[in-house]
Amino acid sequence: MLVLTRKTGESIMIGDTIEVKIIAVEGDQVKLGIDAPRSVKVHRSEVYKAIQEENKAALNASIDLLKGWEGKKDINKEN
């Protein structure tokens, strides 16, 4: 992990297109501004983890639904 010290108004660059700027420091909170292309998804880590869990649950539900159809006769096909 890279650890940097920055002051209010200063920033860091990630690659050529993502800038993380220190907006304010208030007590134990730091406000960050993130300038990134629209194609780059930016989430707080807890939101990102929740999205990953929802995606995993949806995938498992889809697999379970498909398993329920295994061995069932297709009623649209003629015998």
Side-chain angles (χ1 to χ4, degrees):
M1 175 188 307
L2 174 64
V3 178
L4 300 171
T5 301
R6 301 275 75 201
K7 295 179 182 176
T8 301
E10 294 181 335
S11 63
I12 62 167
M13 294 296 299
I14 300 174
D16 294 329
T17 59
I18 301 171
E19 181 179 17
V20 179
K21 187 172 186 175
I22 307 304
I23 304 299
V25 179
E26 300 169 357
D28 64 349
Q29 288 189 335
V30 177
K31 291 184 181 180
L32 302 173
I34 301 169
D35 187 11
R38 289 190 181 268
S39 61
V40 176
K41 296 177 183 179
V42 178
H43 300 288
R44 295 186 325 257
S45 61
E46 63 273 15
V47 171
Y48 177 80
K49 289 174 186 174
I51 291 168
Q52 295 302 309
E53 289 299 319
E54 287 293 322
N55 288 344
K56 186 187 246 183
L59 177 62
N60 288 337
S62 296
I63 290 170
D64 290 344
L65 285 173
L66 288 173
K67 286 181 179 177
W69 284 98
E70 285 179 356
K72 297 218 176 182
K73 198 178 203 180
D74 187 346
I75 59 172
N76 295 320
K77 288 186 180 179
E78 292 184 30
N79 293 333

